[in-house]
PDB file of all heavy atoms in Angstrom:
ATOM      1  N   PHE A 433      11.592  -5.837  18.743  1.00 98.00           N
ATOM      2  CA  PHE A 433      10.751  -5.774  17.551  1.00 98.00           C
ATOM      3  C   PHE A 433      10.195  -4.320  17.522  1.00 98.00           C
ATOM      4  O   PHE A 433       9.785  -3.757  18.556  1.00 98.00           O
ATOM      5  CB  PHE A 433       9.583  -6.727  17.625  1.00 98.00           C
ATOM      6  CG  PHE A 433       8.664  -6.777  16.406  1.00 98.00           C
ATOM      7  CD1 PHE A 433       9.198  -6.834  15.168  1.00 98.00           C
ATOM      8  CD2 PHE A 433       7.323  -6.532  16.578  1.00 98.00           C
ATOM      9  CE1 PHE A 433       8.412  -6.822  14.004  1.00 98.00           C
ATOM     10  CE2 PHE A 433       6.465  -6.602  15.431  1.00 98.00           C
ATOM     11  CZ  PHE A 433       7.051  -6.684  14.169  1.00 98.00           C
ATOM     12  N   ILE A 434      10.215  -3.768  16.315  1.00 98.00           N
ATOM     13  CA  ILE A 434       9.700  -2.378  16.082  1.00 98.00           C
ATOM     14  C   ILE A 434       8.541  -2.466  15.168  1.00 98.00           C
ATOM     15  O   ILE A 434       8.621  -3.003  14.003  1.00 98.00           O
ATOM     16  CB  ILE A 434      10.811  -1.424  15.487  1.00 98.00           C
ATOM     17  CG1 ILE A 434      11.930  -1.270  16.546  1.00 98.00           C
ATOM     18  CG2 ILE A 434      10.292  -0.201  15.038  1.00 98.00           C
ATOM     19  CD1 ILE A 434      13.102  -0.449  16.016  1.00 98.00           C
ATOM     20  N   SER A 435       7.382  -1.911  15.522  1.00 98.00           N
ATOM     21  CA  SER A 435       6.270  -1.714  14.598  1.00 98.00           C
ATOM     22  C   SER A 435       5.553  -0.444  14.895  1.00 98.00           C
ATOM     23  O   SER A 435       6.134   0.451  15.628  1.00 98.00           O
ATOM     24  CB  SER A 435       5.321  -2.949  14.647  1.00 98.00           C
ATOM     25  OG  SER A 435       4.308  -2.870  13.672  1.00 98.00           O
ATOM     26  N   GLY A 436       4.380  -0.299  14.367  1.00 98.00           N
ATOM     27  CA  GLY A 436       3.593   0.977  14.599  1.00 98.00           C
ATOM     28  C   GLY A 436       2.717   0.869  15.771  1.00 98.00           C
ATOM     29  O   GLY A 436       2.848   1.682  16.748  1.00 98.00           O
ATOM     30  N   GLU A 437       1.735  -0.003  15.717  1.00 98.00           N
ATOM     31  CA  GLU A 437       0.672  -0.035  16.712  1.00 98.00           C
ATOM     32  C   GLU A 437       1.013  -1.024  17.870  1.00 98.00           C
ATOM     33  O   GLU A 437       1.955  -1.755  17.740  1.00 98.00           O
ATOM     34  CB  GLU A 437      -0.628  -0.466  16.094  1.00 98.00           C
ATOM     35  CG  GLU A 437      -1.116   0.543  15.001  1.00 98.00           C
ATOM     36  CD  GLU A 437      -2.452   0.111  14.420  1.00 98.00           C
ATOM     37  OE1 GLU A 437      -3.265  -0.626  15.097  1.00 98.00           O
ATOM     38  OE2 GLU A 437      -2.800   0.607  13.315  1.00 98.00           O
ATOM     39  N   ILE A 438       0.182  -0.951  18.861  1.00 98.00           N
ATOM     40  CA  ILE A 438       0.308  -1.916  19.999  1.00 98.00           C
ATOM     41  C   ILE A 438      -1.088  -2.321  20.426  1.00 98.00           C
ATOM     42  O   ILE A 438      -2.013  -1.549  20.367  1.00 98.00           O
ATOM     43  CB  ILE A 438       1.069  -1.365  21.221  1.00 98.00           C
ATOM     44  CG1 ILE A 438       1.219  -2.381  22.287  1.00 98.00           C
ATOM     45  CG2 ILE A 438       0.352  -0.102  21.744  1.00 98.00           C
ATOM     46  CD1 ILE A 438       2.254  -2.054  23.349  1.00 98.00           C
ATOM     47  N   SER A 439      -1.292  -3.631  20.798  1.00 98.00           N
ATOM     48  CA  SER A 439      -2.509  -4.140  21.334  1.00 98.00           C
ATOM     49  C   SER A 439      -2.265  -4.488  22.783  1.00 98.00           C
ATOM     50  O   SER A 439      -1.042  -4.657  23.220  1.00 98.00           O
ATOM     51  CB  SER A 439      -2.988  -5.396  20.601  1.00 98.00           C
ATOM     52  OG  SER A 439      -3.190  -5.168  19.247  1.00 98.00           O
ATOM     53  N   GLU A 440      -3.353  -4.684  23.545  1.00 98.00           N
ATOM     54  CA  GLU A 440      -3.147  -5.055  24.938  1.00 98.00           C
ATOM     55  C   GLU A 440      -2.360  -6.337  25.096  1.00 98.00           C
ATOM     56  O   GLU A 440      -1.431  -6.415  25.973  1.00 98.00           O
ATOM     57  CB  GLU A 440      -4.584  -5.340  25.573  1.00 98.00           C
ATOM     58  CG  GLU A 440      -4.610  -5.376  27.094  1.00 98.00           C
ATOM     59  CD  GLU A 440      -4.394  -6.864  27.509  1.00 98.00           C
ATOM     60  OE1 GLU A 440      -4.440  -7.775  26.653  1.00 98.00           O
ATOM     61  OE2 GLU A 440      -4.220  -7.064  28.718  1.00 98.00           O
ATOM     62  N   ARG A 441      -2.500  -7.237  24.158  1.00 98.00           N
ATOM     63  CA  ARG A 441      -1.845  -8.572  24.245  1.00 98.00           C
ATOM     64  C   ARG A 441      -0.286  -8.490  24.006  1.00 98.00           C
ATOM     65  O   ARG A 441       0.510  -9.195  24.525  1.00 98.00           O
ATOM     66  CB  ARG A 441      -2.395  -9.572  23.300  1.00 98.00           C
ATOM     67  CG  ARG A 441      -2.321  -9.129  21.821  1.00 98.00           C
ATOM     68  CD  ARG A 441      -3.056 -10.145  20.899  1.00 98.00           C
ATOM     69  NE  ARG A 441      -3.095  -9.562  19.534  1.00 98.00           N
ATOM     70  CZ  ARG A 441      -4.094  -8.736  19.170  1.00 98.00           C
ATOM     71  NH1 ARG A 441      -5.106  -8.522  20.007  1.00 98.00           N
ATOM     72  NH2 ARG A 441      -4.188  -8.307  17.940  1.00 98.00           N
ATOM     73  N   THR A 442      -0.023  -7.438  23.218  1.00 98.00           N
ATOM     74  CA  THR A 442       1.418  -7.209  22.815  1.00 98.00           C
ATOM     75  C   THR A 442       2.368  -7.118  24.036  1.00 98.00           C
ATOM     76  O   THR A 442       3.485  -7.624  24.088  1.00 98.00           O
ATOM     77  CB  THR A 442       1.591  -5.991  21.958  1.00 98.00           C
ATOM     78  OG1 THR A 442       0.494  -5.909  21.072  1.00 98.00           O
ATOM     79  CG2 THR A 442       2.890  -6.072  21.075  1.00 98.00           C
ATOM     80  N   THR A 443       1.838  -6.447  25.047  1.00 96.00           N
ATOM     81  CA  THR A 443       2.654  -6.240  26.255  1.00 96.00           C
ATOM     82  C   THR A 443       3.028  -7.570  26.946  1.00 96.00           C
ATOM     83  O   THR A 443       4.185  -7.865  27.268  1.00 96.00           O
ATOM     84  CB  THR A 443       1.841  -5.441  27.296  1.00 96.00           C
ATOM     85  OG1 THR A 443       1.512  -4.196  26.714  1.00 96.00           O
ATOM     86  CG2 THR A 443       2.612  -5.268  28.581  1.00 96.00           C
ATOM     87  N   HIS A 444       2.022  -8.501  26.992  1.00 95.00           N
ATOM     88  CA  HIS A 444       2.285  -9.826  27.628  1.00 95.00           C
ATOM     89  C   HIS A 444       3.208 -10.633  26.717  1.00 95.00           C
ATOM     90  O   HIS A 444       4.011 -11.355  27.244  1.00 95.00           O
ATOM     91  CB  HIS A 444       0.943 -10.463  27.977  1.00 95.00           C
ATOM     92  CG  HIS A 444       0.069  -9.631  28.756  1.00 95.00           C
ATOM     93  ND1 HIS A 444       0.399  -9.306  30.062  1.00 95.00           N
ATOM     94  CD2 HIS A 444      -1.076  -8.949  28.492  1.00 95.00           C
ATOM     95  CE1 HIS A 444      -0.524  -8.510  30.592  1.00 95.00           C
ATOM     96  NE2 HIS A 444      -1.496  -8.313  29.662  1.00 95.00           N
TER      97      HIS A 444
END
Side-chain angles (χ1 to χ4, degrees):
F433 182 54
I434 292 177
S435 186
E437 297 186 20
I438 183 164
S439 301
E440 190 271 351
R441 61 185 171 273
T442 320
T443 301
H444 304 296

